Amino acid sequence: MIKAREIKKSFLVSIWFMFLTFPIMVIRVNPIEKIVEWRWKNMLVVGIGSFLLSFVWRYMLKKKEAGEKRAETGESGKTFLIQRILEERRFYIPLVTGLTIIAVAFPFIFSMYQTSIMTTALMYIVLGLGLNIVVGLAGLLDLGYVAFYAVGAYSYALLNHHFGLGFWSVLPIGAVLGFIFGVLLGFPVLRLRGDYLAIVTLGFGEIIRLVLENWNEFSFGPSGIANIDRPGFFGIQFSLQAASIYLYFLMIGLVIFTIIVVNRLQNSRIGRAWIALREDETACQAMGIDKTRTKLRAFALGATWAGMVGVIFAAKTTFINPASFTFLESAMILSIVVLGGMGSILGVIIGALILILLPEYLRAFSDYRMLLFGAIMVIMMVFRPQGIIANIRRTYKFNE
Amino acid sequence: MEYFLELILGGLTRGSIYALIALGYTMVYGIIELINFAHGEIYMIGAFTALIFTSVLTLLGFNEIAVIVLASLAAVIYSSAYGYTVEKIAYKPLRHASRLSPLIGAIGMSIFLQNYVLLAQTSDFLPFPNLIPEFEFIKPYRHIISSAEIVILITTSTAMILLTFLIKFTRTGKAMRATAQDRNMAMLVGVNVNRVISITFVIGSALAALGGVLIASHVGQINFYIGFVAGIKAFTAAVLGGIGSIPGAVLGALVLGLTESFATGYVSSDYEDVFAFGLLVLILIFKPAGILGRVRHQKI
């Protein structure tokens, strides 16, 4: 039953949005040729769209409020399907086996192009998991994550260009450099409160990009570095096809390694300290946890992963320039973490797959990609701040 | 000496524009302790609205003065409307959430608005007409200061005086100060807190739009991305002066404007943005409370 009042409300919302989007959506001017283009159709779309969306919006808000009330009275305890599947061995083992078979067979069934897209998605999974340590576990909003990614990519590109170092010897160097940069940048800024930290990391990210763009002698400026070697395998040089398959399996390996490490970290002493710090800094300090050092560990570990993926990125594309490391890249990785669920490994994996693969396969959407990322971040924060798959909090039952 | 004077005046002009945007950050932060990332985008939308209205009104045959006034008015009205709507959609439902959620929502909003303008308009730089006419009396000093700079300085100082008046002496201003000090207490004494927050967003957005129109006509071109850098710089200004403090934001903006002006004038213009970001990082590390900010002790 939709009451007349609801319709009136939505009607007003629709009028408001038509007014709001009027200059930007309807009129397009070309100041050079002095042409004004009127696009009245857009106004109609906005009007009808906002009319319908406002119903959905109000319904979701009501649902969320109802959910919050239930949680207050202690009636929660509804676990989600996916979490139940994960808990029961009966479902869990066949699922993992199935996934393994798909993962192994993927590059042999699908084309090289598909494999390459999948490799990119896997890279974002690792980046997401790395950022998840910083944002999800430790609760530090890092908006300059891409800076460490750039450090990794440039360390491989430059070492390869100047000294001819191979992929495998640079991979650990990239990781270590990521770690060092994480410590160097993290050390001065981690004393700051959450929102200041976000801005400073954003500033650092931009500084690194601007330096790479302007310091021509060091980084070859905006034209970037080309002809970076693909990864080798004990001196064997692959064909293009074999190389992309090789890279794919390399990424699969790295994803598994990352999942294991993050999973072990989460339940370790450090992981618990991070989560505690995220929840309440003051209480955490009172329990004897060194605030700065614990935060620094999260920051540096996250940066290590970014450095490592950066090396792989340079090896995959064989060409890098500063344009690959803009703020939007950081925002994209952040929206993966936010969509999937902060602190949840499975959530981040699903988030990365959705956000990277969907725009690739739905070509019509590719223009709207960043618009969607922004919208997803807002909508998720308003309606489901815990993400698609909420991290299960370990609860201890008290048995009398 | 003349070059020095030129740099000072250029820095002050720059700074006063930053101040207009920084005021929005600092006012919002003062009241709901949120860094409104989308604020730079509101400024960008103001500039775009002004451009669109100027073109349309010029084609319709309005005279120059009417175009300037109407286009600026439209920019201010639309930016305020956007600021109001952004607050209602993205921040109001998150009033009681943890600190991280509204911040991420704000970043999402900023990306959304950027791409909304990109898709609905264009990604190219659009030439912005010079709205400010050339004054006769300025001719002899043309090499030191332009008439655009004079207009910017006068407009921004008027806007700031009006704002100070509003906050110090009106009922709304009193309610805003009360809300900033203690939201719950303000609610108890009958202040409509939601309305005060909306008003804060509207005022902040209107100032940003004014800044957008002035800078766009001074620089002569706009695109969808101008809000991002301007936003960060204005935020730097707000932090430099002490976030939450209104005179602090103005002072911080002027310091930042002068620093940039001298750094680009005497060192190198390639690293213009690096100076701003570097300054921000340095302040946050050594004096997070800013020049005029008070250190807030956390109570348990």
Side-chain angles (χ1 to χ4, degrees):
Chain A
M1 263 273 290
I2 301 167
K3 286 177 208 145
R5 229 183 70 215
E6 296 273 291
I7 294 177
K8 196 185 150 203
K9 233 185 200 171
S10 285
F11 184 68
L12 289 178
V13 168
S14 132
I15 297 273
W16 174 252
F17 273 96
M18 281 201 277
F19 161 73
L20 201 62
T21 52
F22 169 69
I24 307 274
M25 291 283 281
V26 176
I27 312 169
R28 172 147 58 188
V29 292
N30 189 333
I32 302 162
E33 288 161 29
K34 304 235 180 288
I35 305 169
V36 176
E37 187 189 337
W38 299 84
R39 300 168 294 176
W40 294 106
K41 215 176 77 193
N42 282 347
M43 189 178 228
L44 201 70
V45 173
V46 168
I48 296 170
S50 54
F51 183 75
L52 297 176
L53 277 178
S54 72
F55 281 110
V56 180
W57 186 268
R58 277 204 300 275
Y59 171 73
M60 303 242 297
L61 266 186
K62 253 183 219 143
K63 214 175 130 189
K64 187 192 163 205
E65 270 164 28
E68 272 167 7
K69 261 190 203 128
R70 253 209 318 277
E72 268 171 30
T73 49
E75 269 180 57
S76 64
K78 200 174 75 177
T79 46
F80 293 95
L81 187 67
I82 304 163
Q83 287 170 2
R84 272 223 303 280
I85 290 174
L86 280 182
E87 274 165 21
E88 283 191 41
R89 271 186 103 72
R90 188 152 60 99
F91 298 116
Y92 178 69
I93 290 174
L95 197 75
V96 169
T97 336
L99 275 180
T100 317
I101 292 169
I102 294 173
V104 170
F106 190 88
F108 303 109
I109 299 171
F110 294 99
S111 68
M112 199 178 115
Y113 173 68
Q114 310 281 358
T115 313
S116 159
I117 291 174
M118 204 56 184
T119 314
T120 311
L122 290 172
M123 275 165 48
Y124 278 98
I125 290 180
V126 177
L127 283 174
L129 287 171
L131 186 64
N132 188 34
I133 298 177
V134 187
V135 180
L137 293 181
L140 306 165
L141 188 53
D142 182 357
L143 295 180
Y145 193 60
V146 82
F148 307 120
Y149 187 43
V151 165
Y154 267 91
S155 61
Y156 179 46
L158 289 173
L159 288 174
N160 188 266
H161 184 85
H162 292 300
F163 306 106
L165 283 181
F167 173 79
W168 287 107
S169 44
V170 181
L171 191 62
I173 297 177
V176 169
L177 277 175
F179 184 86
I180 291 173
F181 266 77
V183 173
L184 281 180
L185 298 194
F187 194 69
V189 301
L190 283 173
R191 294 182 307 146
L192 301 170
R193 276 227 321 275
D195 25 16
Y196 283 154
L197 181 76
I199 292 279
V200 174
T201 48
L202 182 109
F204 265 137
E206 286 295 293
I207 288 178
I208 289 200
R209 188 179 62 83
L210 287 168
V211 167
L212 287 176
E213 216 155 72
N214 289 310
W215 194 3
N216 287 327
E217 299 78 33
F218 172 72
S219 66
F220 302 96
S223 53
I225 303 167
N227 291 327
I228 304 163
D229 287 342
R230 288 173 202 284
F233 185 70
F234 296 112
I236 306 167
Q237 284 300 317
F238 291 109
S239 67
L240 202 61
Q241 172 126 28
S244 80
I245 294 176
Y246 177 54
L247 213 60
Y248 169 82
F249 282 112
L250 202 131
M251 273 320 298
I252 292 271
L254 188 62
V255 167
I256 293 170
F257 172 67
T258 313
I259 292 173
I260 292 171
V261 171
V262 174
N263 195 27
R264 300 295 295 166
L265 271 174
Q266 238 173 27
N267 293 323
S268 71
R269 190 187 157 86
I270 308 172
R272 296 287 181 82
W274 286 335
I275 294 167
L277 206 60
R278 181 187 69 190
E279 299 296 327
D280 192 330
E281 265 186 25
T282 320
C284 201
Q285 276 175 301
M287 301 306 289
I289 292 168
D290 186 340
K291 190 173 94 178
T292 314
R293 191 183 282 177
T294 312
K295 281 183 176 178
L296 200 59
R297 275 186 193 140
F299 208 71
L301 266 172
T304 311
W305 255 267
M308 225 154 30
V309 183
V311 174
I312 297 174
F313 172 75
K316 177 175 183 281
T317 53
T318 69
F319 167 74
I320 56 165
N321 70 349
S324 315
F325 308 104
T326 55
F327 168 66
L328 288 182
E329 201 73 15
S330 292
M332 197 150 92
I333 305 168
L334 183 67
S335 49
I336 286 172
V337 177
V338 168
L339 175 72
M342 283 187 270
S344 144
I345 296 174
L346 186 65
V348 171
I349 295 172
I350 292 176
L353 290 178
I354 291 176
L355 283 185
I356 304 301
L357 296 185
L358 224 55
E360 287 293 341
Y361 289 114
L362 302 173
R363 275 284 158 202
F365 277 121
S366 61
D367 280 349
Y368 298 91
R369 198 157 88 150
M370 287 318 290
L371 190 79
L372 254 134
F373 284 174
I376 283 173
M377 278 160 86
V378 176
I379 291 167
M380 289 307 281
M381 281 302 120
V382 173
F383 296 115
R384 219 181 138 69
Q386 69 273 42
I388 297 179
I389 293 168
N391 191 25
I392 317 160
R393 292 283 292 274
R394 190 173 287 241
T395 45
Y396 296 96
K397 287 241 168 65
F398 180 67
N399 295 319
E400 281 185 51
Chain B
M1 189 58 208
E2 268 179 3
Y3 186 56
F4 182 75
L5 208 64
E6 192 190 324
L7 286 181
I8 285 195
L9 285 167
L12 286 179
T13 318
R14 231 182 239 255
S16 51
I17 298 276
Y18 291 154
L20 283 180
I21 314 170
L23 283 169
Y25 274 111
T26 224
M27 281 163 67
V28 166
Y29 193 90
I31 285 192
I32 54 174
E33 297 218 332
L34 164 77
I35 297 172
N36 181 13
F37 264 96
H39 193 62
E41 268 55 59
I42 300 284
Y43 147 91
M44 179 264 296
I45 284 175
F48 259 91
T49 314
L51 172 67
I52 289 166
F53 273 84
T54 349
S55 311
V56 172
L57 292 174
T58 316
L59 282 183
L60 289 176
F62 280 79
N63 75 346
E64 219 171 80
I65 304 288
V67 169
I68 298 172
V69 172
L70 287 176
S72 313
L73 205 64
V76 168
I77 289 171
Y78 269 101
S79 283
S80 310
Y82 270 94
Y84 174 83
T85 315
V86 164
E87 195 268 330
K88 280 280 175 283
I89 289 179
Y91 306 145
K92 194 165 170 248
L94 294 173
R95 222 34 81 65
H96 303 289
S98 67
R99 288 185 76 95
L100 212 55
S101 302
L103 200 58
I104 294 175
I107 296 163
M109 205 32 137
S110 151
I111 297 171
F112 180 84
L113 287 176
Q114 254 177 39
N115 285 277
Y116 154 70
V117 173
L118 165 71
L119 291 170
Q121 295 287 320
T122 169
S123 60
D124 302 332
F125 269 101
L126 293 175
F128 197 96
N130 192 2
L131 295 174
I132 301 158
E134 205 60 35
F135 299 128
E136 272 307 316
F137 68 87
I138 209 75
K139 283 269 165 65
Y141 311 102
R142 186 72 192 80
H143 53 290
I144 299 173
I145 186 165
S146 66
S147 41
E149 284 176 329
I150 290 187
V151 171
I152 289 175
L153 286 172
I154 291 172
T155 318
T156 48
S157 14
T158 318
M160 280 164 215
I161 290 167
L162 283 177
L163 181 73
T164 317
F165 178 78
L166 178 95
I167 286 172
K168 281 248 157 83
F169 301 110
T170 62
R171 252 183 101 77
T172 318
K174 212 174 189 176
M176 280 164 76
R177 278 180 289 146
T179 314
Q181 272 183 12
D182 192 327
R183 206 194 304 163
N184 288 330
M185 208 52 212
M187 250 190 256
L188 280 177
V189 295
V191 173
N192 186 346
V193 170
N194 280 334
R195 211 179 120 247
V196 169
I197 293 174
S198 287
I199 290 174
T200 312
F201 272 87
V202 165
I203 295 173
S205 306
L207 290 172
L210 203 59
V213 175
L214 290 173
I215 193 88
S217 115
H218 185 46
V219 173
Q221 56 174 12
I222 57 172
N223 83 340
F224 73 97
Y225 204 59
I226 55 167
F228 178 71
V229 175
I232 294 190
K233 286 192 182 164
F235 178 78
T236 308
V239 172
L240 184 58
I243 197 152
S245 144
I246 286 173
V250 177
L251 184 66
L254 293 179
V255 170
L256 180 68
L258 288 172
T259 312
E260 269 191 11
S261 182
F262 281 112
T264 50
Y266 286 121
V267 188
S268 150
S269 61
D270 283 349
Y271 289 99
E272 188 193 321
D273 294 345
V274 174
F275 289 120
F277 295 136
L279 190 63
L280 171 68
V281 172
L282 286 179
I283 312 151
L284 282 178
I285 292 166
F286 293 109
K287 200 167 181 338
I291 303 172
L292 296 182
R294 277 165 299 152
V295 181
R296 283 192 191 178
H297 291 285
Q298 202 185 357
K299 287 180 201 150
I300 303 165

